[in-house]
């Protein structure tokens, strides 16, 4: 089989790495690497491929699928989305906090299966905040910006997008580790008392901002998940097997993770 590889032009360093090194180990005539932006991608999509595999944003996925339809080319789309998490009151809050922070801090939240928002009761929300503060300090020290273990935002455009989401939220900012555009640093921020109409809930965050969305019970959380587009992953924390079973049987997602991070 031969594969044409088109890395994202947004991830400049990764694109360069693939371009410069891949064909040192596998032949370029079978595995060519095409670099560039929308123009190069559009040109590629006009070709008659046997199969197209795309991973990325939903809006670009629609463009890929439309182009593939011209040649009736089969497609696999691995798209992002708002991956939800439900935290049941029976959970060990420090354990939840440790796993939530580890997941959300990975690559500064720039991962397709990162927790996008957490649903729990108001009481559980308040029980979770202090353990998350402890987890952040344990993993990254007193100054997250100085930590060698915390990544930076990919570029200015995404920094501005995240900054706008954070600033326009009507929720309560309960954890804020600051931001510095000159360093493309945006520390972990947790926003409590977020509702479905908030700026945090309109698109995949893809960054280190974590909304806490109060719900009355598990059923309300399930209803909220099912009202939205199907997520790439869904997470549930509980010591109660009946809660886990109900979550698994009544939601649909690419994967379900129980009492753990991805």
């Amino acid at each position: 089989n031969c594969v044409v590889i088109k890395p994202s032009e947004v991830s400049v360093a990764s694109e360069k790495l693939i371009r410069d090194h891949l064909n040192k180990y596998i032949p370029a005539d079978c595995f060519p690497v095409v670099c560039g932006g929308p123009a190069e991608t559009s040109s590629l999509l006009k070709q008659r491929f046997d199969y197209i595999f795309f991973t990325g944003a939903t809006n670009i996925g629609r463009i890929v699928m439309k182009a593939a339809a011209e040649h009736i080319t089969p497609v696999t789309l691995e798209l992002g989305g708002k991956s939800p998490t439900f935290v049941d009151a029976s959970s060990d809050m420090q354990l939840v906090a440790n796993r939530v922070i580890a997941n959300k801090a990975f690559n500064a939240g720039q991962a397709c299966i990162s927790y996008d928002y957490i649903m729990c009761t108001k009481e559980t929300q308040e029980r979770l905040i202090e353990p998350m503060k402890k987890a952040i300090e344990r993993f990254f020290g007193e100054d997250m910006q100085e930590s060698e273990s915390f990544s930076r935002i990919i570029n200015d455009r995404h920094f501005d997008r995240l900054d706008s989401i954070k600033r326009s939220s009507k929720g309560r900012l309960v954890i804020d580790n600051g931001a510095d555009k000159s360093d493309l640093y945006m520390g972990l921020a947790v926003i409590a008392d977020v509702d479905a109409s908030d700026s945090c809930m309109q698109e995949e965050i893809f960054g280190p901002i974590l909304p806490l969305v109060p719900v009355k019970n598990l059923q309300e959380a399930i209803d909220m998940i099912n009202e939205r587009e199907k997520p790439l992953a869904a997470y549930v924390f509980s010591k109660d097997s009946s809660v886990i079973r109900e979550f698994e049987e009544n939601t649909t997602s690419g994967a379900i993770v129980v009492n753990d991070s991805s």
Side-chain angles (χ1 to χ4, degrees):
N1 291 332
C2 297
V3 179
V4 177
I5 301 164
K6 169 61 180 73
S8 171
E9 71 278 9
V10 176
S11 304
V12 179
S14 296
E15 181 187 44
K16 184 177 185 298
L17 180 72
I18 293 169
R19 182 195 67 202
D20 294 347
H21 294 282
L22 184 66
N23 294 140
K24 292 179 180 178
Y25 307 101
I26 55 178
D29 55 344
C30 292
F31 300 93
V33 178
V34 176
C35 296
E40 287 76 13
T41 302
S42 297
S43 180
L44 275 178
L45 289 174
K46 292 176 183 176
Q47 310 306 309
R48 184 186 288 271
F49 289 103
D50 295 320
Y51 202 96
I52 296 174
F53 185 100
F54 170 79
T55 179
T58 301
N59 60 322
I60 307 301
R62 291 191 179 98
I63 295 171
V64 171
M65 195 164 217
K66 184 177 179 180
E70 290 294 319
H71 301 299
I72 319 180
T73 301
V75 178
T76 294
L77 301 177
E78 193 274 347
L79 307 176
K82 296 187 73 64
S83 295
T85 304
F86 177 71
V87 178
D88 181 49
S90 67
S91 304
D92 178 329
M93 292 301 149
Q94 191 59 63
L95 178 66
V96 172
N98 292 346
R99 291 178 177 175
V100 165
I101 295 304
N103 172 291
K104 195 64 176 175
F106 173 75
N107 203 34
Q110 299 163 110
C112 57
I113 50 175
S114 177
Y115 298 126
D116 198 274
Y117 61 100
I118 290 179
M119 295 172 290
C120 56
T121 64
K122 273 188 170 288
E123 294 76 16
T124 300
Q125 172 186 266
E126 299 309 312
R127 291 172 57 206
L128 193 54
I129 293 169
E130 285 302 318
M132 285 197 290
K133 290 179 180 177
K134 290 179 182 177
I136 291 170
E137 184 169 353
R138 174 188 169 191
F139 295 158
F140 303 104
E142 295 183 0
D143 188 342
M144 181 172 274
Q145 187 172 3
E146 295 299 318
S147 172
E148 294 182 354
S149 301
F150 193 73
S151 302
R152 296 302 185 257
I153 304 305
I154 190 71
N155 57 30
D156 287 344
R157 179 169 65 88
H158 283 288
F159 182 96
D160 291 341
R161 178 185 63 83
L162 291 165
D163 190 55
S164 176
I165 290 173
K166 181 177 169 182
R167 289 177 182 275
S168 58
S169 174
K170 304 299 183 186
R172 176 166 52 101
L173 188 61
V174 292
I175 298 176
D176 185 12
N177 285 277
D180 179 357
K181 187 174 181 179
S182 67
D183 189 28
L184 289 178
Y185 162 78
M186 181 169 288
L188 278 170
V190 178
I191 304 175
D193 298 327
V194 169
D195 64 36
S197 64
D198 195 86
S199 60
C200 293
M201 298 298 291
Q202 304 314 304
E203 63 180 35
E204 181 182 10
I205 292 173
F206 210 71
I209 301 168
L210 183 63
L212 304 181
V213 182
V215 292
K216 293 177 183 177
N217 49 42
L218 172 61
Q219 187 57 54
E220 186 176 346
I222 289 172
D223 291 343
M224 181 179 290
I225 293 170
N226 292 335
E227 286 167 2
R228 295 172 172 268
E229 294 292 331
K230 288 181 173 57
L232 192 58
Y235 302 84
V236 57
F237 288 90
S238 180
K239 292 181 179 179
D240 187 336
S241 60
S242 66
V243 169
I244 295 168
R245 184 168 59 253
E246 187 171 353
F247 187 90
E248 290 175 330
E249 292 178 353
N250 292 284
T251 61
T252 304
S253 56
I256 290 181
V257 182
V258 177
N259 290 327
D260 207 349
S261 61
S262 55

